[in-house]
């Protein structure tokens, strides 16, 4: 039987558990979610609380009711991230940034002159060589849903040459870098904003302009406060991020 922790209300812990199962692929689109009776028994909560869990999952677009059958995982459940730490842990554990039903392609990997913002983040001179990896993520219908550009100091090219190959790194770039350089990411900062898509964005995601995008900028640092990776990710509407927290008092 799962153990209820005191840090979050019981129903939120159950929601987080089921949501994590969906993200990890343990519960796939079309799979049945435990009934309120089963949830109440498994988690030692009331039927009312269990029903609250199912209602919340439906409101998030993760689950849907099937008359006469029960509650199942939606076919097009939106991509969810609870916190930056959760997302980073999942990436480190699996080497993947996408959820079940999606796949990614590295569309380019090269040494390129660092733009001003990238140079500032990496503490190198503007225009200095930097490793640029562009990744596009697709859904099960082969439609591009997000694109990300990861930047690294060009001096890492010799120690980590696979960063310059337009192929996926199975263990993930973070783990690969740790193995090749000993530099371990211990701090991350995500910054989210919205903006209009450029022609380059439209080409990557197959958009018709004008179109709005969500942009996320991620900075990863090692224990010496040195930036390991600077990344910019864009996604079209329909992909959301969810953050849960408690307020004192």
């Amino acid at each position: 039987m799962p153990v209820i922790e005191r840090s979050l209300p019981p129903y939120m812990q159950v929601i987080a558990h089921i949501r994590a199962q969906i993200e990890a692929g343990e519960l796939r689109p079309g799979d049945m979610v435990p009934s309120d009776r089963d949830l109440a028994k498994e988690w030692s909560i009331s039927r009312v609380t269990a029903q609250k869990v199912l209602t919340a999952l439906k409101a998030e677009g993760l689950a849907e009711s099937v008359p006469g059958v029960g509650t199942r995982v939606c076919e097009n459940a939106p991509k969810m991230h609870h916190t930056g730490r959760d997302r980073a842990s999942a990436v480190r554990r699996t080497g993947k940034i996408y959820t079940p039903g999606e796949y990614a392609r590295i569309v380019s990997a090269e040494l390129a002159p660092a733009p001003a913002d990238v140079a500032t983040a990496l503490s190198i001179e503007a225009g200095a060589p930097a490793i640029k990896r562009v990744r596009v993520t697709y859904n099960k219908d082969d439609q591009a849903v997000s694109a990300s550009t990861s930047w690294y100091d060009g001096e890492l090219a010799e120690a980590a040459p696979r960063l310059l190959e337009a192929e996926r790194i199975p263990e993930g770039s973070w783990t690969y870098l740790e193995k090749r350089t000993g530099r371990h990411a211990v701090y991350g900062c995500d910054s989210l904003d919205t903006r209009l898509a450029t022609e380059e964005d439209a080409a990557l995601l197959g958009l018709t302009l004008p179109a709005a995008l969500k942009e996320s900028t991620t900075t990863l640092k090692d224990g010496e406060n040195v930036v390991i990776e600077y990344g910019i990710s864009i996604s079209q509407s329909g992909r959301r991020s969810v953050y849960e927290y408690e307020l004192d008092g």
Side-chain angles (χ1 to χ4, degrees):
M1 180 180 68
V3 177
I4 294 291
E5 300 177 359
R6 293 183 179 181
S7 58
L8 287 175
Y11 85 94
M12 291 183 67
Q13 294 188 45
V14 182
I15 292 170
H17 177 76
I18 296 175
R19 195 190 288 131
Q21 287 184 309
I22 294 173
E23 285 203 351
E26 296 173 21
L27 285 176
R28 304 183 66 83
D31 286 351
M32 301 305 297
V33 176
S35 66
D36 58 354
R37 185 185 301 276
D38 290 338
L39 287 175
K41 181 178 180 181
E42 181 180 5
W43 288 83
S44 296
I45 56 179
S46 69
R47 289 280 295 279
V48 172
T49 298
Q51 290 167 3
K52 189 175 181 180
V53 169
L54 296 177
T55 297
L57 291 171
K58 294 170 188 175
E60 290 183 5
L62 294 175
E64 60 186 355
S65 294
V66 181
V69 179
T71 302
R72 70 182 179 189
V73 179
C74 288
E75 289 294 332
N76 296 309
K79 185 179 179 70
M80 309 290 287
H81 294 316
H82 321 307
T83 66
R85 178 186 291 273
D86 290 343
R87 181 178 65 83
S89 295
V91 172
R92 187 186 296 280
R93 183 177 65 254
T94 66
K96 300 177 180 179
I97 64 167
Y98 46 89
T99 57
E102 296 181 341
Y103 64 95
R105 289 177 180 160
I106 306 299
V107 297
S108 66
E110 60 182 344
L111 278 175
D117 61 326
V118 173
T120 298
L122 297 177
S123 298
I124 61 177
E125 294 291 331
I131 299 171
K132 177 184 179 183
R133 287 174 62 84
V134 180
R135 176 195 300 106
V136 177
T137 300
Y138 302 85
N139 63 18
K140 61 185 179 68
D141 297 317
D142 298 323
Q143 297 173 324
V145 292
S146 73
S148 61
T149 302
S150 297
W151 293 89
Y152 310 87
D153 189 331
E155 292 186 355
L156 294 173
E158 184 175 353
R162 288 171 62 191
L163 291 178
L164 287 173
E165 298 176 3
E167 299 288 343
R168 279 199 62 246
I169 300 175
E171 67 269 37
S173 58
W174 300 356
T175 301
Y176 173 64
L177 268 174
E178 289 172 4
K179 290 179 179 178
R180 299 291 298 183
T181 68
R183 298 177 62 184
H184 183 78
V186 299
Y187 170 83
C189 177
D190 291 355
S191 176
L192 281 73
D193 204 347
T194 56
R195 63 173 175 81
L196 291 176
T198 65
E199 291 186 1
E200 183 180 359
D201 299 330
L204 281 174
L205 298 181
L207 302 175
T208 300
L209 298 177
L213 293 176
K214 180 175 72 174
E215 181 180 80
S216 176
T217 301
T218 299
T219 304
L220 298 176
K221 296 182 179 181
D222 63 17
E224 298 181 356
N225 204 38
V226 176
V227 173
I228 297 176
E229 177 182 326
Y230 178 70
I232 302 171
S233 176
I234 56 173
S235 59
Q236 48 189 306
S237 60
R239 292 167 66 86
R240 52 179 164 164
S241 299
V242 175
Y243 300 91
E244 294 180 352
Y245 51 90
E246 289 187 285
L247 298 175
D248 293 334

